[in-house]
């Protein structure tokens, strides 16, 4: 199956073109604080972990984990190796986080160790990394409010270099219980001579129990698939039945190994690009434009279909699709324009510019089938205008103490993101992309789990708004569904220079951003107002208002974790867990 290019189809019913702004609300947000018995196990990046990839993967790690199967249940790992769980039912009677599992204390930390990471695989299973290369699969039992069961480890094995868990799913295949785990590493390639030499490695691990009866607890590695890329993916999730993998990243990923063996792929044949002649040629001066359109052989004047207004041009031949059709780059004077057939081969059109002087970059907006032919005089003028941008000298400045910038000395974080960012769906069997969406300027914002039985949603910036997309791999033709919109959130988050985390409620009732220290911002969906309000500028009554609220924590500790439920926000620091009551249902 060849790769298919797709686009994200926006649901216009979920957009609000009349949205004005968020109104600051001074309503207090009830905040409750739990003091932790031991500090959170925070990773301090070492001198050897200096690249942008290390910072994105580990320096911006979210240490707080939300249980999507049980509302208002969060988990984290402390410095004693304890996995702690907090279930909130009554805000005014918060208890202490309860220990559900303890990482083996005999494991001695190494120089390359990472932070412990956790993924809630299903309603009764979890995947845990101790940060030193060991993968633990834990049977948790039902993790409800009244459940106080300790988690049981049914698989524990070293799988190589330290890693963090990105996602995991549990499913039954052919009567065999399978757990799929996706892990990430930032590794050094000794053969790489360019740049830092580090690359991002993803590994898709499949663990299953024995097929024989009575061997329920015997879990073992079944498959290991390795991928390699240049950037940390913004979004990475496995399909619920383990049949595919979805990635959103700025640089592409490719499968490189299967069970430790390199994957051999045939060399792609060079692509032959069909060269097509332009349908029309055009020239321009400061006063007018001349367009020459090639006509089919034997066409007479009566068969020509010509239409011209001040803003639009249409040229065609009866029985054929239009040769030129669309909005002109700028206005023309139809009364002073004309057309005629030249040598029975081409149709020549003369257009008089309505405003003389400026040169047009294109004739018809968005039409790339024509070719602009410039005169020698115009080419010389352009060369003269751009002359100051070039130099024959290697160092174009006389101040040798301040040499010009060398682009090769720039770090990755200094560059501007290009438009190669893409959202890709990989098929498990073929181990190559089958669906690709070019994200272009649609900046990734955050990931949220709306439905635990579905893949996590991803939020992308669309113009000034933030749009939430739900992947639906069971619908190949409509794999990404637009399910919610946060008005102007894309514009708002761009102004938050100290932003560290972003998230939203699973029911999309509000979105929230938090800074590195202390402050959290809450942006609520528009809601009806009880009083009568009028927009003075437009002279109309306002029926709905979107509120913004700001919460400032009484803490100077950096924020390490940030999660949202429909009713509460959870903010984790090294010493405290803060619970913010956002909604009262």
């Amino acid at each position: 199956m060849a790769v298919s290019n797709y686009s994200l189809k926006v649901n216009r019913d979920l957009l609000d073109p009349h949205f004005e702004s968020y109104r600051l609300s001074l309503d207090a947000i009830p905040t409750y604080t739990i003091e932790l018995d031991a500090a959170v196990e925070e990773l301090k990046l070492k001198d050897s972990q200096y690249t942008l990839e290390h910072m994105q993967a580990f320096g911006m790690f979210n240490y707080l984990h939300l249980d999507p199967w049980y509302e208002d249940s969060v988990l984290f790992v402390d410095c004693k190796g304890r996995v702690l769980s907090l279930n909130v039912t009554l805000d005014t009677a918060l208890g202490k986080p309860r220990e559900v599992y303890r990482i083996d204390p005999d494991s001695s930390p190494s120089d390359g160790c990472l932070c412990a990471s956790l993924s809630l695989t299903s309603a009764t299973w979890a995947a845990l990394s101790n940060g030193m290369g060991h993968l633990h699969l834990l049977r948790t039992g039902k993790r409800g409010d009244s459940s106080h069961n300790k988690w049981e480890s049914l698989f524990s094995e070293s799988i190589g270099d330290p890693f963090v868990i990105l996602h995991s799913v549990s499913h039954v295949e052919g009567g065999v219980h399978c757990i799929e785990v996706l892990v990430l590493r930032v590794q050094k390639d000794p053969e790489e001579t360019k740049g830092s030499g580090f690359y991002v490695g993803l590994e898709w691990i499949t663990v299953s129990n024995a097929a024989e009866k009575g061997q329920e607890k015997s879990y073992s590695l079944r498959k290991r698939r390795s991928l390699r890329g240049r950037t940390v993916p913004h979004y990475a999730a496995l399909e619920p039945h383990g049949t595919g993998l979805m990635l959103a990243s700025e640089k592409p990923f490719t499968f490189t190994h299967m069970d430790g063996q390199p994957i051999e792929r045939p060399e792609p044949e060079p692509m032959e690009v069909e060269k097509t002649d332009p349908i029309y040629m055009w020239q321009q001066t400061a006063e007018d434009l001349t367009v020459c359109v090639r006509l089919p052989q034997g066409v007479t004047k009566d068969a020509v279909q010509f239409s011209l207004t001040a803003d639009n041009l249409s040229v065609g031949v009866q029985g054929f699709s239009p040769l030129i059709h669309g909005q002109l780059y700028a206005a023309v004077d139809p009364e002073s324009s004309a057309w005629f057939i030249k040598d029975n081969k081409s149709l020549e059109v003369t257009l008089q510019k309505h405003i003389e002087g400026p040169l047009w970059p294109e004739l018809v907006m968005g039409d790339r089938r024509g070719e602009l032919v410039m005169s020698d005089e115009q080419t010389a003028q352009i060369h003269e205008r751009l002359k100051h941008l070039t130099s024959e000298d290697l160092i174009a400045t006389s101040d040798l103490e301040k040499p010009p910038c060398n682009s090769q000395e720039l770090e990755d974080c200094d560059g501007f993101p290009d438009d190669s960012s893409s959202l890709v769906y990989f098929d498990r069997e073929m181990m190559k992309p089958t669906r690709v969406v070019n994200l272009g300027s649609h900046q990734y914002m955050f990931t949220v789990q709306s439905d635990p039985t579905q893949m996590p949603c991803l939020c992308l910036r669309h113009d000034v708004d933030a749009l939430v997309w739900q992947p639906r791999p069971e619908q190949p033709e409509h794999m990404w569904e637009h399910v919610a919109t946060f008005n102007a959130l894309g514009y708002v988050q761009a102004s938050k220079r100290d932003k560290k985390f972003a998230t939203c409620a699973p029911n999309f009732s509000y979105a929230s951003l938090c800074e590195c220290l202390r402050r959290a911002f809450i942006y609520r969906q528009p809601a009806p107002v009880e009083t009568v309000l009028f927009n003075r500028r437009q002279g109309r009554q306002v029926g709905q208002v979107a509120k913004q609220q700001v919460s400032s924590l009484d803490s100077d500790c950096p924020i390490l974790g940030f999660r949202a439920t429909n009713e509460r926000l959870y903010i984790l620091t090294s010493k405290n867990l803060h619970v913010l009551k956002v909604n009262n249902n």
Side-chain angles (χ1 to χ4, degrees):
M1 181 186 296
V3 62
S4 300
N5 292 315
Y6 282 74
S7 59
L8 299 176
K9 297 181 180 179
V10 176
N11 183 353
R12 299 294 174 183
D13 295 335
L14 297 179
L15 301 181
D16 183 6
H18 303 295
F19 181 80
E20 295 179 353
S21 64
Y22 289 96
R23 306 297 174 89
L24 180 63
S25 172
L26 300 180
D27 295 340
I29 300 177
T31 303
Y32 308 91
T33 301
I34 301 173
E35 187 174 351
L36 305 180
D37 298 333
V40 177
E41 182 66 24
E42 180 185 2
L43 172 69
K44 302 293 185 181
L45 293 179
K46 303 173 180 61
D47 292 342
S48 59
Q49 300 168 325
Y50 60 88
T51 66
L52 177 62
E53 287 71 34
H54 286 97
M55 175 57 67
Q56 290 175 332
F58 314 128
M60 302 293 288
F61 185 77
N62 196 332
Y63 291 84
L64 191 60
H65 307 277
L66 183 68
D67 194 335
W69 278 269
Y70 301 96
E71 189 174 2
D72 285 293
S73 178
V74 292
L75 303 99
F76 61 94
V77 181
D78 68 7
C79 60
K80 296 181 179 180
R82 299 181 300 172
V83 179
L84 300 175
S85 172
L86 176 69
N87 296 317
V88 178
T89 54
L90 186 62
D91 301 88
T92 55
L94 294 176
K96 288 286 186 179
R98 179 176 56 88
E99 178 183 339
V100 294
Y101 186 77
R102 186 184 290 260
I103 300 174
D104 184 6
D106 296 335
S107 300
S108 56
S110 61
D111 292 338
C113 67
L114 304 175
C115 50
S117 55
L118 178 69
S119 173
L120 284 309
T121 307
S122 69
T124 56
W125 283 83
L128 174 68
S129 164
N130 67 350
M132 290 171 277
H134 274 77
L135 174 64
H136 304 270
L137 298 183
L138 310 172
R139 185 163 62 181
T140 67
K142 292 187 177 181
R143 303 183 294 269
D145 298 336
S146 59
S147 175
H148 297 285
N149 299 328
K150 288 295 185 74
W151 296 1
E152 179 185 7
S153 176
L154 296 186
F155 175 87
S156 178
E157 189 170 320
S158 175
I159 58 172
D161 295 337
F163 59 89
V164 293
I165 300 177
L166 298 181
H167 192 232
S168 62
V169 295
S170 172
H171 64 99
V172 176
E173 184 176 324
V176 178
H177 181 218
C178 299
I179 296 178
E180 315 278 352
V181 184
L182 183 65
V183 306
L184 178 145
R185 301 180 178 94
V186 178
Q187 297 175 288
K188 186 81 171 181
D189 186 350
E191 298 181 0
E192 183 64 57
T193 59
K194 297 181 180 180
S196 64
F198 285 95
Y199 69 92
V200 177
L202 301 180
E203 191 168 17
W204 179 357
I205 299 171
T206 302
V207 178
S208 62
N209 64 346
E212 294 84 1
K213 294 183 178 179
Q215 298 294 324
E216 179 200 1
K217 294 186 179 181
S218 178
Y219 284 80
S220 59
L221 278 173
R222 179 179 168 187
K223 288 285 184 183
R224 299 182 68 166
R225 308 172 182 87
S226 300
L227 300 91
R228 182 166 174 168
R230 286 293 181 187
T231 59
V232 174
H234 298 303
Y235 174 92
L238 297 165
E239 196 271 337
H241 301 289
T243 58
L245 165 67
M246 195 173 294
L247 296 176
S249 60
E250 293 180 6
K251 300 294 182 182
F253 277 81
T254 55
F255 279 92
T256 58
H257 292 79
M258 164 70 85
D259 294 329
Q261 299 299 319
I263 298 176
E264 296 183 2
R265 298 191 184 276
E267 290 292 332
E269 297 181 0
M271 182 181 297
E272 295 183 1
V273 180
E274 183 180 356
K275 296 183 178 179
T276 58
D277 295 331
I279 293 179
Y280 60 91
M281 313 283 283
W282 63 289
Q283 292 180 299
Q284 64 176 318
T285 65
E287 297 81 20
D288 56 27
L289 306 100
T290 302
V291 186
C292 185
V293 185
R294 293 187 299 137
L295 295 177
Q297 188 174 4
V299 172
T300 62
K301 183 177 181 180
D302 295 335
V304 174
Q305 297 175 335
F306 181 87
S307 174
L308 176 65
T309 65
D311 300 313
N312 288 271
L313 171 65
S314 178
V315 178
V317 176
Q318 189 174 1
F320 294 87
S321 58
L323 301 174
I324 303 177
H325 181 77
Q327 180 181 354
L328 294 169
Y329 178 79
V332 298
D333 184 1
E335 299 296 331
S336 303
S337 303
W339 67 272
F340 62 93
I341 295 180
K342 183 178 181 181
D343 300 331
N344 293 325
K345 296 181 179 179
S346 62
L347 182 144
E348 191 166 299
V349 183
T350 303
L351 302 175
Q352 186 70 32
K353 292 183 178 180
H354 184 70
I355 300 177
E356 298 181 359
L359 296 181
W360 294 12
E362 56 184 345
L363 179 67
V364 176
M365 300 288 285
D367 192 341
R368 300 292 184 268
R369 299 177 300 167
E371 180 179 337
L372 171 62
V373 179
M374 291 188 294
S375 64
D376 294 340
E377 181 182 357
Q378 290 173 335
T379 304
Q381 290 177 355
I382 294 175
H383 176 76
E384 187 66 27
R385 292 175 186 173
L386 301 179
K387 187 177 181 180
H388 68 284
L389 299 177
T390 61
S391 173
E392 297 180 358
D393 299 330
L394 181 62
I395 299 179
T397 176
S398 59
D399 189 357
L400 298 180
E401 296 180 358
K402 297 180 180 180
C405 175
N406 184 352
S407 61
Q408 295 180 351
E409 297 175 354
L410 295 177
E411 296 289 344
D412 292 339
C413 58
D414 296 323
F416 188 83
D418 53 27
D419 60 355
S420 62
S421 179
S422 59
L423 177 61
V424 182
Y425 181 80
F426 290 90
D427 182 82
R428 179 183 66 180
E429 301 301 328
M430 294 186 292
M431 292 190 294
K432 62 180 183 180
T434 57
R435 301 287 189 277
V436 176
V437 175
N438 181 15
L439 296 181
S441 60
H442 299 305
Q443 176 190 7
Y444 165 85
M445 294 183 63
F446 58 83
T447 299
V448 62
Q449 185 87 51
S450 175
D451 182 352
T453 64
Q454 298 284 335
M455 298 182 72
C457 300
L458 66 159
C459 183
L460 303 174
R461 178 172 179 174
H462 180 87
D463 197 6
V464 298
D465 297 330
L467 274 54
V468 181
W469 300 88
Q470 174 66 66
R472 301 197 185 279
E474 70 279 5
Q475 305 173 3
E477 298 303 319
H478 305 282
M479 189 170 287
W480 294 279
E481 180 185 356
H482 175 203
V483 294
T485 300
F486 292 104
N487 299 301
L489 187 65
Y491 175 79
V492 169
Q493 67 92 28
S495 65
K496 307 298 182 187
R497 299 182 60 183
D498 295 329
K499 184 199 74 171
K500 186 173 185 180
F501 298 117
T503 188
C504 74
N507 63 1
F508 313 123
S509 59
Y510 70 92
S512 186
L513 313 174
C514 84
E515 297 180 337
C516 300
L517 288 172
R518 196 175 292 117
R519 290 199 300 176
F521 303 86
I522 299 168
Y523 301 92
R524 299 181 182 274
Q525 294 283 20
V529 294
E530 298 178 357
T531 59
V532 178
L533 297 178
F534 282 90
N535 185 311
R536 296 180 180 178
R537 181 178 302 174
Q538 299 180 1
R540 62 180 179 85
Q541 184 175 343
V542 178
Q544 291 185 325
V545 170
K547 293 182 179 180
Q548 171 193 354
Q549 291 175 281
V550 182
S551 177
S552 185
L553 303 177
D554 185 15
S555 172
D556 292 329
C557 298
I559 294 177
L560 302 179
F562 188 67
R563 300 290 180 181
T565 64
N566 295 334
E567 295 186 22
R568 299 173 180 88
L569 264 179
Y570 295 87
I571 303 178
L572 180 68
T573 66
S574 60
K575 299 179 180 179
N576 298 287
L577 176 59
H578 303 274
V579 182
L580 283 64
K581 184 71 170 181
V582 178
N583 287 326
N584 292 306
N585 294 332

